[in-house]
Amino acid sequence: MANSFDILLLPGDGIGPEVVGAAKTVMDAAAKHFGVSLDCEERKVGAAAIREEGNPVSDETLERAKASDAVLLGAVGDPEFDGGEIRPEAGLLSLRKSLGTFANLRPVAAIPALIDWSPLKREIVSGVDVLIVRELTGGAYFGEKVEGFEYASDQSVYTKDEVVRVARVAFDAARRRKKRVTSVDKANVMATGRMWRKVVAEVGAEEYPDIELDHALADSTAMHLITNPKRFDVIVTDNLFGDMLSDEAAVLPGSMGMLASASLGEPGSPGIFEPVHGSAPDIAGKGIANPYATILSAAMMFRHGLGRPDIAGAIEQGVSAAMEAKFLGRDLGGEKTTQEITKAVSQWVAAGEGVA
Ligand code: NAD
Ligand code: IPM
Ligand code: MN
């Protein structure tokens, strides 16, 4: 097992610096406990990079990202640039494209300490464990765009290879879980949806006969995700549907501040580990952002990006312990600050409580 890592920190905008700072504190506590060395470099992305470098992600930052072992990102986006020509979000899209992180894993699980906080009934939420695998470098996000006021268009393109590779990620994940994949599309309306469905079916039949596969439409999936989330194990879907379904799924644990993610490319290339939430300008700078999503993204970094599931497990256990001890912020009905939550998790991690 490697024990020395180069990490690029891209805190970004809004609450990004607050939650990445929190994750870094926990990572440092874990590194000390496990005797590993973390070499963390910090750079700008998003609005912060536009202000300082005139570009939402510089070529130098992209090069540093490619040379790192993993990237931990906060969030990008700032109302100051809404409607402008240069958008902070473009920095994140360039980063994903240049690292080739085509598979975005977004786990959504019921959290025992929060079951009664979710706006959904206990019997609906209890026991939920879904993995959304979102295609991340294709579709409507990256097709040709025509930007005008009288006429605008976003082309949505998928090649067969792009669908095959993300389908394999989903099937492989299902093999380690409950062995069920639901592929989500709009095959009733969209050409990309019909192709997506045929390709996923072919990959399933030829390479994963042991995995149960079904296909569902994105609109009714949005409804089922809330009314009967336990019907799902792994969901695989395109870039745009995956973006929307995962924010919707945040109501299962009860806050956007709980969902972590890992954006992965080809084996050996650095992944981007990023919370699902955005820069939350409405609460930025107040010290009340929920840091759990980013701390759990750091855990995903140790598991999926750095080959250290032991460190990931320790961080996850620290998070569970802190949540059980009611270290909850305002988004979850509590009063703890970002800093208090961070300190609680770090102490658990440093003490090695429950380390696997
Ligand atoms: P958002 O996720 O930033 O916020 C939605 C709501 O959830 C807000 O009320 C916010 O206060 C709350 N919230 C989000 N994260 C939280 C946390 N950690 N703790 C407590 N509350 C939290 O989505 P939005 O408001 O639609 O977008 C704001 C900006 O963020 C936009 O510029 C958008 O483009 C950007 N964005 C960036 C990313 C990213 O960088 N990955 C993701 C989504 C949105
Ligand atoms: C996300 C965000 C991004 C996306 C934006 C900020 C580009 O919403 O990571 O979910 O749409 O992919
Ligand atoms: Mn999103």
Side-chain angles (χ1 to χ4, degrees), residues 106 134 141 243-244 246-247 256 276-277:
R106 296 186 157 187
R134 169 189 177 194
Y141 277 64
D243 181 44
M244 295 190 272
S246 52
D247 270 36
M256 281 302 297
V276 169
H277 65 71

Side-chain angles (χ1 to χ4, degrees), residues 292-310:
Y292 285 124
T294 313
I295 294 172
L296 291 168
S297 299
M300 292 186 86
M301 176 178 83
F302 280 108
R303 176 170 289 109
H304 298 280
L306 305 177
R308 291 298 302 253
D310 52 339

Side-chain angles (χ1 to χ4, degrees), residues 206-221:
E206 286 179 3
E207 301 175 35
Y208 300 89
D210 52 319
I211 306 294
E212 190 189 317
L213 169 67
D214 65 343
H215 303 273
L217 297 172
D219 45 359
S220 58
T221 299

Side-chain angles (χ1 to χ4, degrees), residues 76 89 92-93 96 106 134 136 141 239 243 274 276:
V76 294
E89 290 82 353
L92 177 55
L93 299 182
R96 289 172 180 167
R106 296 186 157 187
R134 169 189 177 194
L136 201 62
Y141 277 64
N239 206 341
D243 181 44
E274 38 178 326
V276 169

Side-chain angles (χ1 to χ4, degrees), residues 54-122:
N55 185 341
V57 65
S58 68
D59 289 344
E60 201 184 333
T61 300
L62 293 176
E63 287 315 311
R64 287 293 304 122
K66 283 185 207 161
S68 72
D69 292 314
V71 178
L72 183 74
L73 184 130
V76 294
D78 189 312
E80 182 190 328
F81 293 95
D82 282 349
E85 263 178 29
I86 310 181
R87 292 201 55 86
E89 290 82 353
L92 177 55
L93 299 182
S94 300
L95 184 70
R96 289 172 180 167
K97 196 69 170 178
S98 49
L99 293 188
T101 54
F102 62 87
N104 182 217
L105 313 188
R106 296 186 157 187
V108 184
I111 300 168
L114 296 183
I115 301 273
D116 291 316
W117 174 254
S118 170
L120 301 170
K121 291 190 182 110
R122 167 174 271 272

Side-chain angles (χ1 to χ4, degrees), residues 14-15 18-19 278-290 330-331 338:
I15 61 169
E18 299 167 57
V19 293
S279 55
D282 52 338
I283 58 161
K286 297 187 177 155
I288 55 169
N290 180 342
R330 287 188 210 176
D331 57 316
T338 310

Side-chain angles (χ1 to χ4, degrees), residues 1-6 31 34-39 306-308 311:
M1 277 194 300
N3 62 5
S4 168
F5 304 103
D6 273 329
F34 284 86
V36 303
S37 111
L38 299 181
D39 190 351
L306 305 177
R308 291 298 302 253
I311 303 180

